[in-house]
Amino acid sequence: MVVFILNENVTNFNRKWSTHDIMVTAILSIVLGLLNIPLTYLGSYLIAFPIVFPIMMGIGFFPLILVAYLIRKPGSVLLSSFIIMAVGVPFTPYGVVMLGQVLMYGLPLEIVFLLGRYRHFESWFMAIAGIVVNVIGGILFFISYGILNMDILIQLIIVVETIISGVLFAGLLSKWLGDAVLKTGVIR
């Protein structure tokens, strides 16, 4: 599938940003950044429950994928992730560390959408984008919180939950919400 995507004619790739695109991306990102603040606190509390946390992990990533789905321009994930994380800096316990998430999660997602040339937004592609960002988050979760020291069954449950959460909450939730927003005609 990736070979097919990479062999397509690159000249059809729409790289142009308008002022409208930048403003819509910024406004969406600010709103989603405000939504991300309580999600950050919820995630901070759920981290104590390693079986529960991976289920909600995908919800924290859906804003990044949603903006990419709605704007469909190269760089939209990096710009939106920077704004979303910058909004949370003064309001979350993580502070400036949140800006590091721009590279940890925004860059890999940007690469996924660039491989699809910002033209593939089918459900399967959105699910793959959700899996990619959730697996990266899951790897950091495994390393940071000592999940590798737990029983292998618990590790397998966490891996399955991480993938399911990535598909449902990060990928498909973004698609469903994005379709609903696009049907309203607010974003053209």
Side-chain angles (χ1 to χ4, degrees), residues 31-68:
V31 170
L32 291 169
L34 292 172
L35 174 69
N36 199 40
I37 292 167
L39 290 175
T40 302
Y41 280 97
L42 178 62
S44 297
Y45 295 122
L46 289 180
I47 205 85
F49 306 99
I51 297 291
V52 178
F53 179 74
I55 295 170
M56 94 43 91
M57 192 184 315
I59 296 171
F61 296 129
F62 97 88
L64 305 176
I65 298 174
L66 178 63
V67 173

Side-chain angles (χ1 to χ4, degrees), residues 110-174:
E110 186 69 41
I111 291 169
V112 168
F113 286 109
L114 282 172
L115 286 173
R117 297 181 326 129
Y118 275 88
R119 295 175 72 193
H120 291 280
F121 293 97
E122 300 86 7
S123 296
W124 66 268
F125 194 83
M126 299 296 283
I128 288 173
I131 289 171
V132 167
V133 73
N134 243 35
V135 165
I136 291 169
I139 291 169
L140 294 172
F141 176 61
F142 260 69
I143 294 168
S144 301
Y145 294 97
I147 306 301
L148 293 172
N149 297 328
M150 294 184 178
D151 186 60
I152 189 74
L153 182 60
I154 292 175
Q155 291 179 30
L156 289 174
I157 290 170
I158 291 172
V159 167
V160 169
E161 288 175 342
T162 300
I163 292 170
I164 291 172
S165 175
V167 169
L168 293 179
F169 298 127
L172 296 180
L173 178 65
S174 300

